[in-house]
Amino acid sequence: LDPAGKLSSQRRIAEGDTVVVYERHDAMRAVAVRAGGVLQNRFGVFRHDDWVGRPFGSKVHSNAGGGGGKKGGGKAGGFVHLLAPTPELWTLVLSHRTQILYIADISLVVAYLELVPGCVVLESGTGSGSLTTSLARAVAPHGRVHTFDFHEQRAASAREDFERNGLSSLITVNVRDIQGEGFPEEHRGAADAVFLDLPQPWLAIPSVSLMLKQDGVLCSFSPCIEQVQRACDAMRPCFTDIRTFEILLRTYEVRDGSLNSATANEEAVVGPRPQKRKKFTPSGENSGCTEKTSSVLVRPCSTAKGHTGYLTFARLRV
Ligand code: SAM
């Protein structure tokens, strides 16, 4: 579903849309479709005009040499997929104006804030709008996300992104120092949930307790345990069920392969394929025979970050 509740596969690409051009799982980019626009990458030249009218999810071939293309009848080169900017994909392709929350944290936030369509959510700071986009989808089509950042340019860029992605009816972006001034009075007692990603969240927590409805839920993200401790101290007078989760990520490279005694110690084996293929092959120059087994091989990515931060949830005391 896109944030407006339509199935992405049923939507057709129109001029002005943002599409996520998918080359590989680790090579994607957001492109605004415009008349006469051209995308050039290692797979060839792609004309935006050929994309208009196709359903999101389509595979499109390049116009080899800049002309023709499959649709136009010419010789086809490489291809890409044109995906809808779902919140999951948007988080991977957006412009990083700040550190952002990734989908592992976001999924926990949306679930534990108990967001359902129609909810009203307050958020600060907006940052790059990564979380905001998922919050908007969770409360669509009749809910609302009011997001606040004290940085004018960041707020303006986020507003532009939300407009381009068709989310303006679900999100209002406001410029305000939430640690200094708290959330505006007009939201008093109206929020189902509040999310804080601020350097000193404890300063905003007294205001949060006024904004939440009875039983409303607060979540605060902090990268350091010292910030968590201070935030929890500030929550205790008005909140209950305070729980902190540390978000630990471990990414693995997974591939098919075959093992013999020489490689068995280098990689962890998740498990053999159900139909175990066994064959005997010469093992290098030393010859001799080694048993080879077709297997799924995994190893931790050397570049993966483990710790993203702590998410603290708390419910307003009734
Ligand atoms: N959660 C966001 C995302 O997923 O894209 C990232 C938030 S970013 C780490 C933190 C943001 O808080 C920054 O954009 C910063 O300008 C904003 N901020 C810091 N102090 C603030 C304050 N006192 N009031 C409002 N916003 C503030």
Side-chain angles (χ1 to χ4, degrees):
L1 290 181
D2 77 356
K6 284 187 198 154
L7 272 177
S8 301
S9 57
Q10 290 169 356
R11 288 178 53 215
R12 290 187 179 268
I13 297 168
E15 208 182 306
D17 278 347
T18 301
V19 298
V20 176
V21 176
Y22 176 100
E23 295 175 17
R24 276 196 333 224
H25 76 278
D26 56 353
M28 287 182 257
R29 70 168 107 166
V31 175
V33 179
R34 54 188 174 80
V38 168
L39 169 75
Q40 193 155 3
N41 64 14
R42 61 194 149 146
F43 297 114
V45 177
F46 298 83
R47 289 194 321 230
H48 294 195
D49 293 341
D50 292 342
W51 302 352
V52 172
R54 291 180 185 268
F56 277 101
S58 293
K59 177 177 175 178
V60 290
H61 290 264
S62 70
N63 310 116
K70 231 185 181 179
K71 200 182 170 193
K75 190 179 159 222
F79 63 86
V80 295
H81 285 89
L82 304 175
L83 306 182
T86 61
E88 289 82 1
L89 293 178
W90 184 246
T91 288
L92 298 175
V93 297
L94 57 74
S95 319
H96 283 221
R97 299 176 287 266
T98 60
Q99 293 211 326
I100 66 164
L101 288 193
Y102 290 95
I103 220 67
D105 305 67
I106 290 175
S107 54
L108 203 68
V109 170
V110 169
Y112 279 74
L113 283 183
E114 301 170 0
L115 298 184
V116 291
C119 280
V120 172
V121 187
L122 305 183
E123 178 197 26
S124 186
T126 312
S128 306
S130 171
L131 174 67
T132 321
T133 302
S134 284
L135 296 176
R137 181 181 59 182
V139 304
H142 303 301
R144 198 88 180 166
V145 181
H146 303 287
T147 185
F148 298 82
D149 204 296
F150 69 174
H151 192 289
E152 279 193 31
Q153 186 51 52
R154 251 172 237 157
S157 301
R159 199 178 290 118
E160 278 168 28
D161 282 350
F162 301 145
E163 261 168 34
R164 272 204 297 149
N165 290 342
L167 298 174
S168 306
S169 61
L170 297 166
I171 302 171
T172 59
V173 184
N174 310 271
V175 177
R176 189 175 172 98
D177 174 1
I178 294 297
Q179 291 181 176
E181 301 175 63
F183 288 96
E185 269 301 300
E186 65 190 90
H187 299 299
R188 187 185 268 256
D192 297 282
V194 177
F195 181 85
L196 302 178
D197 183 351
L198 293 171
Q200 296 174 296
W202 51 92
L203 297 177
I205 286 169
S207 162
V208 173
S209 64
L210 302 176
M211 301 299 131
L212 282 171
K213 291 179 185 168
Q214 265 196 8
D215 234 24
V217 186
L218 160 66
C219 176
S220 177
F221 172 87
S222 293
C224 306
I225 195 69
E226 291 77 9
Q227 291 167 305
V228 174
Q229 284 164 337
R230 286 193 72 170
C232 288
D233 288 343
M235 287 176 199
R236 270 181 208 106
C238 297
F239 289 86
T240 180
D241 296 344
I242 301 173
R243 282 188 291 179
T244 298
F245 297 83
E246 183 178 11
I247 310 299
L248 289 171
L249 276 185
R250 188 112 202 229
T251 315
Y252 292 89
E253 287 166 22
V254 182
R255 63 183 173 85
D256 281 334
S258 56
L259 281 183
N260 58 27
S261 52
T263 54
N265 291 332
E266 289 170 18
E267 297 174 282
V269 184
V270 167
R273 284 277 184 221
Q275 283 182 323
K276 218 167 161 186
R277 184 159 48 87
K278 284 187 181 178
K279 60 182 176 183
F280 291 94
T281 56
S283 164
E285 283 150 39
N286 297 335
S287 100
C289 285
T290 310
E291 186 181 0
K292 279 208 166 189
T293 308
S294 169
S295 304
V296 177
L297 307 175
V298 297
R299 70 173 149 209
C301 284
S302 50
T303 54
K305 282 191 211 147
H307 171 85
T308 70
Y310 300 94
L311 287 168
T312 301
F313 295 87
R315 191 178 295 281
L316 189 66
R317 215 187 274 280
V318 279

